Amino acid sequence: EDQVTQSPEALRLQEGESSSLNCSYTVSGLRGLFWYRQDPGKGPEFLFTLYSAGEEKEKERLKATLTKKESFLHITAPKPEDSATYLCAPGDKIIFGKGTRLHILP
Amino acid sequence: NAGVTQTPKFRVLKTGQSMTLLCAQDMNHEYMYWYRQDPGMGLRLIHYSVGEGTTAKGEVPDGYNVSRLKKQNFLLGLESAAPSQTSVYFCASTEGQGYTGELFFGEGSRLTVL
């Protein structure tokens, strides 16, 4: 059975304190691993797609990486506006991880 | 360019009532999806469509029906609402060849069943 697990469930950081979010998956025939950001009361917004192990993508303070079994979303020197829930999902759209709620304290 | 539009945004129903949620996209996307999002459960796929006139079941289809009569619209129906269907519903779409393309989401429809 395909599964996606995100950890931690919630993370509180001080502004400027770097950390990483994890997305581990057991999906046969993975065709892409997607990261989304969701703000309260809004729909998720696309961040990154990773297709092969070793691939990395960057956007401002975020960098996503992919291995054969997991993906990491690294956040460097975060700011309060980076506070959101971050979701990951395999490319088939069938399942999503439950997300990591990230809160950056000023 | 509105993207993905969901109506209504809020609705309160009594148990046993029926209703339809409308999702409209103006990006000419082939694939459309309906998810529900509950606290602690994340996003769960209800039904999806890979093109006009097609529908398929997702992870949690029971109690819901869908129709895709026009390419730009995807309707989610509740024939007899139950309190367990209280949730936030999200519609999403992605482009045709993009079985693995990124999803574009609507703003959500918050449904409360009393």
Side-chain angles (χ1 to χ4, degrees):
Chain A
E1 180 181 332
D2 293 345
Q3 286 191 335
V4 178
T5 303
Q6 291 190 246
S7 61
E9 290 186 10
L11 183 61
R12 293 167 66 93
L13 300 172
Q14 290 293 135
E15 183 173 0
E17 181 184 1
S18 301
S19 188
S20 297
L21 314 182
N22 177 262
C23 171
S24 63
Y25 57 88
T26 54
V27 176
S28 58
L30 183 73
R31 287 182 283 177
L33 191 288
F34 290 72
W35 282 96
Y36 294 86
R37 169 190 170 129
Q38 185 175 23
D39 293 303
K42 302 288 187 180
E45 288 187 3
F46 170 74
L47 289 174
F48 303 108
T49 310
L50 302 165
Y51 286 105
S52 57
E55 188 175 0
E56 298 183 354
K57 294 274 182 73
E58 288 190 62
K59 181 179 181 180
E60 294 183 359
R61 295 173 292 282
L62 298 176
K63 183 170 76 173
T65 61
L66 183 68
T67 71
K68 288 186 177 180
K69 293 186 177 181
E70 57 191 350
S71 178
F72 291 93
L73 186 64
H74 307 278
I75 182 161
T76 303
K79 298 181 178 181
E81 53 262 41
D82 295 320
S83 297
T85 297
Y86 292 86
L87 304 167
C88 69
D92 64 2
K93 317 291 186 298
I94 304 299
I95 56 173
F96 270 76
K98 295 181 180 180
T100 293
R101 297 188 309 278
L102 178 64
H103 186 56
I104 309 299
L105 301 167
Chain B
N1 190 341
V4 178
T5 303
Q6 294 182 227
T7 53
K9 290 183 170 50
F10 301 93
R11 184 73 187 270
V12 178
L13 288 177
K14 294 182 180 179
T15 297
Q17 287 185 320
S18 63
M19 75 158 297
T20 300
L21 297 176
L22 170 63
C23 176
Q25 52 94 4
D26 61 3
M27 296 171 283
N28 201 37
H29 285 172
E30 289 289 343
Y31 291 72
M32 296 186 75
Y33 304 80
W34 276 108
Y35 295 90
R36 61 179 289 174
Q37 189 172 41
D38 303 292
M41 298 298 292
L43 278 166
R44 291 182 293 170
L45 182 63
I46 305 171
H47 286 281
Y48 64 102
S49 169
V50 299
E52 182 179 313
T54 75
T55 63
K57 294 180 180 180
E59 182 184 1
V60 287
D62 294 342
Y64 304 95
N65 56 76
V66 288
S67 64
R68 183 98 181 270
L69 298 179
K70 293 183 179 181
K71 184 177 183 179
Q72 63 269 33
N73 296 337
F74 195 29
L75 279 65
L76 178 70
L78 286 72
E79 290 188 348
S80 180
S84 61
Q85 295 177 304
T86 293
S87 187
V88 181
Y89 292 85
F90 287 99
C91 176
S93 70
T94 191
E95 59 186 346
Q97 296 295 325
Y99 180 72
T100 55
E102 69 264 28
L103 290 168
F104 294 81
F105 283 86
E107 291 284 283
S109 297
R110 184 176 296 275
L111 175 65
T112 301
V113 183
L114 302 175

